[in-house]
Amino acid sequence: MRLLFVALATVALQARDPFTMAGRSIAPGQRLDFDLAIPAGAADPATYIPVTVLHGAEPGPVLALTAGIHGYEYPPILALQRLLKGTNPGRLRGTLIAVRLAHVSAFESRTPFVNPFDRKNLNRVFPGRAEGTQSERIAHAISQEVIARCDRHVDLHADDGAEWLDAFGGIYGGKLAAAQYEASKEMGVAFGFRNVVTYAVDTRQQLDSGRSCNRQAVAMGKPTVLVEIGENGRADEAWVASLASGLENLLRVLKMMPQAPTPPRADLRWFSGTSGAASRHTGFFAPVSVSGRFVKKGDPIGSVTSYAGEALETITSPVDGYLLYGLTGPAVREGETVVTIALPAPAPLR
Ligand SMILES: [Zn+2]
């Protein structure tokens, strides 16, 4: 009897705690789908954030995946659905917090870039405010309920309408994220995309001005990755499938699933930060090309004509680099960046 009692006590001590979130409790090996409620603000309505928690049967890291910060970016939203459908919490180590759709009002109204009520870019208002506008209230909830609760974070994006993009992983290093850099790098290469961009966060100003969801994770000391795949507001199956398998591989890399991970590809292109080229005029923009490519300083990137059809300027690259994403045209405003140029790095930033 005494032996049996000791054995039972040991089992009790080793039992894994439930994961609690926003007043819910998820037992080990279980899945829970629920909505994080966002109350109404002074000038705009209440909303909600659909969240799924898979609380693994075994201990491990808490990984947060956020999709739909921009509601018109469909491949990440669909890929996350697919990952959740195919992941058995009974086999999972650790805990997966999936923000299935961070920005419901933008999704439902098919509004690219901004919130339909306050016209703010949700990805520039972190950490948000509990009493702010709808974008700020959503950011506040994600900061407090999701990013603060995780050990690692990945924010999933695509390019919206009239934008082209070559898929990449963005990893965060620099003075304010040095301690998280190796973990961020491990995650950033797990997706199997050829392009990897390191963003150095060296100053408070870089961290604070127009803070993104990724930079909120940096501010909270969490390794974080930006993932971008898909363009022109489309939801092509190839992008959804690629991202879903990248997410599955991430779970393997983090040992949250038992299968052996696919190692990082041998032909990775490393970049350190980005530059950009802007239009000096409002009018019609016609890019030279709408796919990733290397350019030299001075190479033409596109041309701008007035609404009357007169040639206004040829935009050239200010640097040697790799055109990573940009506008497809034709609409462009004075001062707007038409292309983002990744700066080649000889080796990964340490
Ligand atoms: Zn986005």
Side-chain angles (χ1 to χ4, degrees):
M1 273 310 280
R2 184 183 162 84
L3 263 180
L4 180 63
F5 174 79
V6 170
L8 284 174
T10 305
V11 168
L13 275 176
Q14 288 176 341
R16 179 156 154 75
D17 288 335
F19 189 78
T20 57
M21 189 172 174
R24 278 89 169 176
S25 177
I26 304 105
Q30 297 298 309
R31 165 180 175 148
L32 185 68
D33 301 276
F34 62 98
D35 296 334
L36 276 178
I38 310 291
D44 47 31
T47 183
Y48 61 96
I49 306 174
V51 173
T52 298
V53 173
L54 302 184
H55 189 41
E58 301 289 330
V62 178
L63 172 67
L65 304 174
T66 47
I69 291 273
H70 293 129
Y72 210 115
E73 297 175 358
Y74 299 144
I77 296 166
L78 298 176
L80 191 50
Q81 297 281 340
R82 196 168 297 183
L83 178 81
L84 292 170
K85 198 172 178 187
T87 305
N88 177 354
R91 297 191 68 205
L92 185 73
R93 287 177 181 272
T95 305
L96 179 60
I97 306 173
V99 173
R100 306 171 77 103
L101 186 49
H103 205 165
V104 165
S105 59
F107 177 78
E108 291 181 351
S109 61
R110 294 183 287 277
T111 305
F113 315 118
V114 297
N115 177 278
F117 298 101
D118 61 28
R119 306 299 295 174
K120 289 179 181 175
N121 181 344
L122 173 55
N123 212 26
R124 296 290 179 273
V125 300
F126 279 82
R129 293 187 300 143
E131 307 297 327
T133 63
Q134 193 182 83
S135 294
E136 293 166 334
R137 300 196 305 279
I138 294 169
H140 178 77
I142 292 172
S143 300
Q144 297 306 314
E145 300 288 354
V146 178
I147 297 176
R149 300 294 312 282
C150 74
D151 301 316
R152 294 167 180 250
H153 167 248
V154 180
D155 196 25
L156 304 164
H157 288 258
D159 259 6
D160 294 63
E163 294 180 327
W164 66 268
L165 173 96
D166 197 8
F168 70 94
I171 64 181
Y172 286 76
K175 288 195 180 75
L176 298 182
Q180 291 81 43
Y181 177 70
E182 287 301 326
S184 177
K185 188 171 79 174
E186 174 188 51
M187 293 194 292
V189 300
F191 289 86
F193 302 152
R194 189 158 181 205
N195 305 307
V196 182
V197 181
T198 294
Y199 298 104
V201 184
D202 291 324
T203 66
R204 286 301 306 188
Q205 209 259 339
Q206 284 176 322
L207 194 59
D208 291 343
S209 68
R211 186 185 285 177
S212 65
C213 188
N214 285 116
R215 283 179 163 78
Q216 182 60 31
V218 171
M220 289 177 156
K222 316 291 171 120
T224 187
V225 170
L226 167 68
V227 168
E228 295 265 5
I229 182 168
E231 59 188 6
N232 280 313
R234 304 205 313 261
D236 296 24
E237 167 59 22
W239 301 325
V240 177
S242 170
L243 181 54
S245 75
L247 288 166
E248 277 174 30
N249 196 49
L250 176 68
L251 296 183
R252 297 174 185 191
V253 166
L254 298 179
K255 298 184 169 56
M256 294 175 73
M257 289 302 274
Q259 300 92 334
T262 305
R265 56 193 291 167
D267 60 350
L268 284 172
R269 284 194 290 250
W270 290 95
F271 302 103
S272 182
T274 60
S275 181
S279 174
R280 287 182 284 114
H281 300 88
T282 294
F284 296 116
F285 171 63
V288 169
S289 74
V290 289
S291 56
R293 66 184 171 106
F294 284 99
V295 291
K296 292 286 187 194
K297 182 177 178 180
D299 283 353
I301 282 170
S303 56
V304 183
T305 53
S306 72
Y307 293 145
E310 105 194 87
L312 294 174
E313 65 175 305
T314 298
I315 302 171
T316 58
S317 180
V319 291
D320 292 356
Y322 184 80
L323 304 188
L324 191 62
Y325 56 91
L327 301 180
T328 58
V332 72
R333 288 191 315 270
E334 178 188 349
E336 200 168 30
T337 298
V338 298
V339 70
T340 295
I341 308 164
L343 305 173
L349 185 81
R350 296 295 305 170

